[in-house]
Amino acid sequence: AGFIKSPLSQKRLTQDSVELYCEAIGNPIPEIQWWFEGSEPNETYAQLWDGARQDRVKINATYNLHSTSTIYIANLTTDDSGMYECRASNDPDRNHLSKSPKVKWIRSQANVFVIERPDIEAQVTEASGKLILTCNMTVPYSGIGGHEWLHGDKTLQADTESSTFTSYTIEGKKEEHSGIYECVYKTSPVIKGQVNVSVAPQVIAYKKSEHGNEGDTGVLTCKSPSFPPVTTWVWYKKGQEPIINDSVRYIIKSSGNKTELRILKLNIEEDTGDYYCNATNSHGTGGVMVNLRVRSRLAALWPFLGIVAEVLVLVTIIFIYEKRRKPDEVLDDDDGGSAPLKSNATNHKDKNV
């Protein structure tokens, strides 16, 4: 048995892609082939293979317990419209040039319609501290059930209007809202336009001031959340030439919108100072300063030694105070003890008299 697990009828736009999946079960394990018949009246079925149509066709097949095969067609054109057929057979003579197979090929079909993609004009305008994003189809299009505006996975706005024009307003500056925005037309199939809000890199330091101990490794990090992505990162120390990634003292790791400078075996005299990370993209350059302070290894002991010194001074003061105060306290106790005895004696005499 053979069957296609993809929808039997699919609509796609030009430049999109389509994927069909087929399974076949039998003993011995059957072979799967893909065939295509165009929508033109005189076209007949022709076999498809991996790499066909200028390498736009990719076919992957596995034969383990049962047969599975997937055909993927990229960058669709209207010529890709037609009937796609999955054929499965396990007859030994299935591919023989002169013999007819005893067991016929089992077939399953799916129809693919490729529709010409309409052109969408996308624009960004700035006015009174606002960004206005617009999408407009250049030709009339029927069957629009509404629009959506997306930024990544987040839906920013939705409506049910049937117009070929749609807009979205952002409160704020370009630098704060750069990125890729999509205008989605609710049609069958869905039509999307792309609006790019592009700015020069807005560079941010992970920490504006970094600290490190002498002999350790110092790490300075910068990033840029702006669009388009950074193409080049450059590190340099104030008043010096750009730092070269030499893996001996300096290691620079840059990937997309993030960069990291590692300084091995920190030296107080050589490495203390201001560092700059500069980013460049197709719209300009931006940068930020990071201050690095290198401390002596003994620096961590100073607070402890200070506490110990304070304790010693306090103990010494208490000891000296107690040493000087004891003689006076002995005299006070003697005087205080004799006074009550004299007083009692006097009172006793008076009573006797």
Side-chain angles (χ1 to χ4, degrees):
F3 56 96
I4 291 182
K5 300 186 77 171
S6 308
L8 298 182
S9 181
Q10 297 194 37
K11 290 183 180 180
R12 290 290 189 271
L13 295 171
T14 52
Q15 302 171 23
D16 281 349
S17 61
V18 68
E19 185 175 76
L20 303 174
Y21 179 76
C22 183
E23 284 188 6
I25 301 171
N27 187 18
I29 298 173
E31 176 192 0
I32 293 179
Q33 295 180 359
W34 287 95
W35 292 70
F36 170 76
E37 183 182 45
S39 54
E40 295 296 327
N42 296 329
E43 283 196 66
T44 58
Y45 275 102
Q47 187 176 355
L48 295 172
W49 65 91
D50 188 58
R53 298 179 185 174
Q54 297 179 339
D55 207 30
R56 293 189 298 111
V57 174
K58 300 294 181 184
I59 298 176
N60 294 316
T62 59
Y63 298 96
N64 184 15
L65 299 180
H66 64 284
S67 307
T68 62
S69 183
T70 302
I71 185 169
Y72 175 85
I73 307 169
N75 198 19
L76 291 169
T77 69
T78 53
D79 293 335
D80 295 320
S81 295
M83 188 68 71
Y84 289 81
E85 189 172 86
C86 164
R87 298 181 181 180
S89 177
N90 57 5
D91 192 301
D93 297 328
R94 61 185 177 272
N95 294 317
H96 202 283
L97 296 178
S98 58
K99 292 182 181 180
S100 298
K102 298 175 183 177
V103 180
K104 293 183 178 180
W105 289 85
I106 298 173
R107 306 179 183 190
S108 186
Q109 298 174 333
N111 206 355
V112 176
F113 301 94
V114 182
I115 304 168
E116 192 71 42
R117 177 184 294 274
D119 291 331
I120 297 177
E121 289 183 348
Q123 289 185 344
V124 181
T125 56
E126 293 183 75
S128 304
K130 298 179 181 180
L131 289 176
I132 303 173
L133 315 184
T134 61
C135 284
N136 185 35
M137 286 190 185
T138 56
V139 294
Y141 198 91
S142 60
I144 299 174
H147 314 88
E148 283 185 347
W149 281 90
L150 306 177
H151 187 207
D153 297 330
K154 186 178 179 182
T155 301
L156 306 173
Q157 178 180 290
D159 62 57
T160 56
E161 298 177 4
S162 59
S163 172
T164 56
F165 176 85
T166 180
S167 66
Y168 175 69
T169 301
I170 300 174
E171 300 281 348
K173 299 179 180 179
K174 245 186 177 184
E175 290 74 15
E176 300 170 353
H177 299 280
S178 66
I180 300 174
Y181 295 80
E182 284 186 314
C183 54
V184 180
Y185 290 82
K186 297 178 182 178
T187 55
S188 181
V190 171
I191 299 172
K192 295 181 180 181
Q194 183 173 299
V195 184
N196 295 336
V197 179
S198 304
V199 297
Q202 309 298 302
V203 183
I204 303 170
Y206 181 70
K207 287 184 180 179
K208 292 185 177 180
S209 181
E210 290 282 0
H211 300 80
N213 294 323
E214 190 176 21
D216 289 347
T217 299
V219 181
L220 312 180
T221 306
C222 293
K223 61 180 181 178
S224 170
S226 308
F227 179 85
V230 175
T231 54
T232 306
W233 286 99
V234 177
W235 282 93
Y236 67 93
K237 191 177 180 183
K238 187 176 181 180
Q240 297 183 10
E241 295 294 321
I243 296 172
I244 299 175
N245 191 349
D246 58 11
S247 299
V248 177
R249 276 265 291 151
Y250 301 104
I251 300 175
I252 300 174
K253 294 183 178 180
S254 301
S255 58
N257 281 353
K258 184 179 178 181
T259 183
E260 179 184 273
L261 170 64
R262 288 180 176 267
I263 306 174
L264 308 180
K265 298 180 181 179
L266 287 172
N267 183 286
I268 294 179
E269 296 181 359
E270 294 182 13
D271 299 324
T272 300
D274 296 331
Y275 291 78
Y276 293 85
C277 54
N278 276 11
T280 303
N281 65 11
S282 57
H283 276 68
T285 302
V288 72
M289 183 192 77
V290 184
N291 179 261
L292 175 62
R293 298 179 182 179
V294 183
R295 299 171 297 194
S296 170
R297 281 193 171 277
L298 299 177
L301 295 175
W302 291 122
F304 174 75
L305 295 175
I307 294 172
V308 172
E310 288 180 1
V311 172
L312 290 175
V313 170
L314 183 60
V315 170
T316 303
I317 292 172
I318 293 173
F319 177 79
I320 295 173
Y321 175 76
E322 292 292 330
K323 194 74 176 174
R324 291 183 177 181
R325 189 169 67 88
K326 282 183 179 180
D328 296 337
E329 288 180 350
V330 171
L331 293 174
D332 291 342
D333 290 343
D334 292 344
D335 294 342
S338 60
L341 292 173
K342 291 179 181 179
S343 175
N344 291 337
T346 304
N347 292 337
H348 183 68
K349 288 179 181 180
D350 291 340
K351 286 182 180 180
N352 292 333
V353 174

